[in-house]
Amino acid sequence: EAGVAQSPRYKIIEKRQSVAFWCNPISGHATLYWYQQILGQGPKLLIQFQNNGVVDDSQLPKDRFSAERLKGVDSTLKIQPAKLEDSAVYLCASSGLATEAFFGQGTRLTVV
Amino acid sequence: KQEVTQIPAALSVPEGENLVLNCSFTDSAIYNLQWFRQDPGKGLTSLLLIQSSQREQTSGRLNASLDKSSGRSTLYIAASQPGDSATYLCAVRPGNAGNMLTFGGGTRLMVKP
């Protein structure tokens, strides 16, 4: 069974630039999550989709972050404009309903 | 709001020791709890999933227990090896089976040869 795929693995951008991350979940998983993990901390939920609808985006900085999940499968997360404090690992995960969650390898973003 | 705490934040042990990692959560109304392992620069690997009706789950040298009423879970690692060195994270799902996972800050484990 293929796992959760994310790209790119690494990205370095200057502050005020924009960046986009892509995630392909495990086939058949209705729930897709985007987490932000700052070095030395646990992951923090940014947004959760159920199929192509948003379930929870209460911690998403909506003035600069946006996410979509077209057709209930792949998802993209965008930051525009980026700030220095956005430097983190962005993790995508998927699961069935209340079942085991599986994570991708993450995208390490460095904003300089 | 659910809060998850993991103690200790870091742990260093000699190879061969049995060890216990702790996870506590403030709202005992959970649906399930999941333990993950994270290697440096990598994503999270699922280790064990415990449903709220279960008391423990085992996989190889790993055993996870759950005491929902007291808001605690422990991950027991038997006969630790240098390859077990990683960060271990626990995450809980709310009791309404909503799919949101709330994570603790993790325990960084180093097993010395």
Side-chain angles (χ1 to χ4, degrees):
Chain A
E1 176 181 89
V4 177
Q6 288 189 248
S7 68
R9 285 296 314 277
Y10 306 94
K11 190 75 176 178
I12 300 174
I13 62 172
E14 294 183 349
K15 59 184 179 182
R16 291 188 290 274
Q17 285 188 322
S18 62
V19 64
F21 312 129
W22 173 82
C23 173
N24 180 239
I26 292 173
S27 178
H29 279 185
T31 304
L32 185 147
Y33 314 80
W34 283 103
Y35 281 86
Q36 179 193 59
Q37 186 177 27
I38 293 172
L39 186 65
Q41 300 181 15
K44 182 186 83 171
L45 181 70
L46 291 175
I47 188 167
Q48 176 186 333
F49 293 94
Q50 185 77 11
N51 296 309
N52 61 349
V54 174
V55 174
D56 188 329
D57 63 357
S58 57
Q59 298 189 82
L60 187 74
K62 298 181 185 62
D63 57 333
R64 299 184 299 107
F65 286 65
S66 64
E68 60 181 7
R69 190 183 184 193
L70 299 176
K71 301 181 181 177
V73 182
D74 292 6
S75 177
T76 56
L77 176 70
K78 296 179 182 178
I79 307 175
Q80 180 179 11
K83 293 185 176 182
L84 296 177
E85 59 260 38
D86 298 332
S87 294
V89 176
Y90 291 85
L91 296 163
C92 179
S94 70
S95 77
L97 184 61
T99 61
E100 195 171 3
F102 294 91
F103 281 75
Q105 289 293 298
T107 296
R108 181 177 297 279
L109 173 67
T110 302
V111 182
V112 298
Chain B
K1 179 187 172 186
Q2 178 73 273
E3 292 184 5
V4 181
T5 303
Q6 291 187 246
I7 295 172
L11 183 63
S12 181
V13 300
E15 181 177 6
E17 272 203 8
N18 301 323
L19 53 99
V20 175
L21 307 181
N22 297 294
C23 171
S24 62
F25 43 95
T26 54
D27 186 348
S28 61
I30 65 167
Y31 190 78
N32 57 36
L33 182 148
Q34 195 168 352
W35 281 94
F36 295 88
R37 168 183 173 141
Q38 186 174 33
D39 292 286
K42 300 293 180 73
L44 279 65
T45 301
S46 178
L47 297 173
L48 290 163
L49 174 71
I50 311 178
Q51 302 295 343
S52 62
S53 59
Q54 297 176 316
R55 297 284 293 181
E56 63 180 285
Q57 279 283 351
T58 298
S59 176
R61 294 183 294 108
L62 304 180
N63 176 277
S65 67
L66 175 64
D67 184 343
K68 200 174 77 162
S69 61
S70 65
R72 290 185 298 183
S73 176
T74 60
L75 180 66
Y76 176 82
I77 303 177
S80 59
Q81 303 170 358
D84 295 330
S85 298
T87 296
Y88 291 82
L89 295 146
C90 70
V92 298
R93 244 192 204 92
N96 61 2
N99 256 337
M100 179 176 169
L101 281 170
T102 302
F103 280 85
T107 294
R108 290 191 314 279
L109 173 66
M110 177 170 291
V111 181
K112 296 177 287 188

